[in-house]
Amino acid sequence: MRLVPALSCIVLLTGSLLAADKPAEDEGFTVLFDGKSVAGWQGNLDVFRIEDGAIVGGSLKERVPRNEFLCTQKEYADFELRLKFKLRGKGANAGVQLRSRRAAKDSPHPNEMIGYQADLGEGWWGCLYDESRRRKVLAGPPKEERSKIVRPDDWNDYVIRCQGRRIQLWINGHPTVDYTEPDAQIPQKGLIGLQIHGGPPTEAWYKDIGIKEL
């Protein structure tokens, strides 16, 4: 009889951990990727595919010719985004675009996206980069700490929160960025995108993607 309360606690705790694996709709989160299709997303499907319930960009068999992005069809302003990621291959680089837009089709690089990026890759983990705009790191953890917050070749958690002009990032529960945009001319609404960076044979995997608009 004494075991019943303990077993109940174990069951409840296990249930809580399992529920944390995916954004729960009853917490106000909307699932952006169902693990089966890219409905609601657009991009180069010669580069992006679905495998084992995840969106995978790139290839381990051949070089990635250029930066490519799979992005939402809907724009978002204030939100909390949760997802899991892992990178595969030597020199893998990727990121999650926030409040971004597609480059014009008649521009020199129509494959690009323009806007904030929650960066991924050795030396870049947890940084906020301004992709194809100011082209620099806006904020990030100390360089010597960046590789300590990720699990190499395994799934990692990214939490991204944008509210007003403030952007906050967490990887595996570690806060990496708390940035407030000083330039009033920078748009604070746009698309969300998943990147695979051009370069050596590498892959970026993304799954359990959910968003809560604030």
Side-chain angles (χ1 to χ4, degrees), residues 2 37 49 52 55 59-60 70 73 93 100 104 108 116 122 129 136 138 150 164 179-180 194 199-200 205 211:
R2 292 180 181 178
S37 77
R49 66 185 187 277
D52 296 333
I55 292 173
S59 170
L60 295 178
L70 188 73
Q73 295 175 351
N93 185 281
S100 299
Y116 301 111
E122 191 61 40
Y129 184 78
K136 66 178 183 178
L138 301 175
V150 294
Y179 173 80
T180 299
L194 309 176
W205 290 58
I211 193 166

Side-chain angles (χ1 to χ4, degrees), residues 6-7 13-14 18 24 28 34 37 39 45 63 79 88 92-93 97 102 114 124 134 149 156 162 165 179 187 205 213:
L7 287 172
L13 178 58
T14 303
L18 289 174
D34 63 6
S37 77
L45 298 185
R63 287 183 59 84
F79 59 86
R88 300 180 64 196
N93 185 281
Q97 292 297 131
R102 284 280 190 187
I114 301 166
W124 303 93
R134 288 169 286 192
I149 61 177
N156 296 268
C162 300
R165 310 198 73 80
Y179 173 80
W205 290 58
E213 295 190 70

Side-chain angles (χ1 to χ4, degrees), residues 102-111:
R102 284 280 190 187
K105 291 182 179 181
D106 59 353
S107 68
H109 303 287
N111 55 298

Side-chain angles (χ1 to χ4, degrees), residues 7-212:
L7 287 172
S8 299
C9 290
I10 292 172
V11 170
L12 288 171
L13 178 58
T14 303
S16 297
L17 291 173
L18 289 174
D21 284 344
K22 293 185 178 181
E25 291 189 19
D26 59 2
E27 294 177 351
F29 281 82
T30 299
V31 174
L32 289 184
F33 170 60
D34 63 6
K36 300 176 183 179
S37 77
V38 291
W41 297 78
Q42 59 94 7
N44 186 347
L45 298 185
D46 290 330
V47 176
F48 289 93
R49 66 185 187 277
I50 297 174
E51 184 175 332
D52 296 333
I55 292 173
V56 185
S59 170
L60 295 178
K61 298 179 181 179
E62 57 187 8
R63 287 183 59 84
V64 182
R66 62 182 190 177
N67 291 354
E68 294 283 358
F69 300 84
L70 188 73
C71 69
T72 58
Q73 295 175 351
K74 179 181 175 180
E75 292 189 337
Y76 297 89
D78 291 354
F79 59 86
E80 182 174 313
L81 179 70
R82 298 181 187 176
L83 57 89
K84 294 182 184 294
F85 69 86
K86 66 178 175 180
L87 300 187
R88 300 180 64 196
K90 187 176 180 180
N93 185 281
V96 181
Q97 292 297 131
L98 323 166
R99 294 174 166 176
S100 299
R101 61 179 175 86
R102 284 280 190 187
K105 291 182 179 181
D106 59 353
S107 68
H109 303 287
N111 55 298
E112 292 288 353
M113 290 191 76
I114 301 166
Y116 301 111
Q117 182 184 106
D119 220 332
L120 299 172
E122 191 61 40
W124 303 93
W125 302 112
C127 291
L128 183 66
Y129 184 78
D130 204 24
E131 181 78 13
S132 297
R133 189 166 51 195
R134 288 169 286 192
R135 294 181 172 87
K136 66 178 183 178
V137 173
L138 301 175
K143 290 184 178 180
E144 64 274 12
E145 299 295 323
R146 294 174 188 176
S147 63
K148 298 177 182 179
I149 61 177
V150 294
R151 298 184 286 266
D153 302 314
D154 200 357
W155 288 108
N156 296 268
D157 296 297
Y158 224 147
V159 175
I160 299 164
R161 186 178 179 89
C162 300
Q163 191 163 26
R165 310 198 73 80
R166 186 182 186 187
I167 298 175
Q168 297 170 279
L169 307 180
W170 293 262
I171 290 183
N172 296 327
H174 299 279
T176 66
V177 164
D178 191 343
Y179 173 80
T180 299
E181 178 57 61
D183 187 344
Q185 301 303 312
I186 298 293
Q188 298 299 299
K189 181 178 181 180
L191 304 172
I192 291 168
L194 309 176
Q195 185 203 46
I196 178 66
H197 201 285
T202 52
E203 292 178 341
W205 290 58
Y206 304 92
K207 70 173 184 177
D208 297 349
I209 308 169
I211 193 166
K212 179 179 182 179

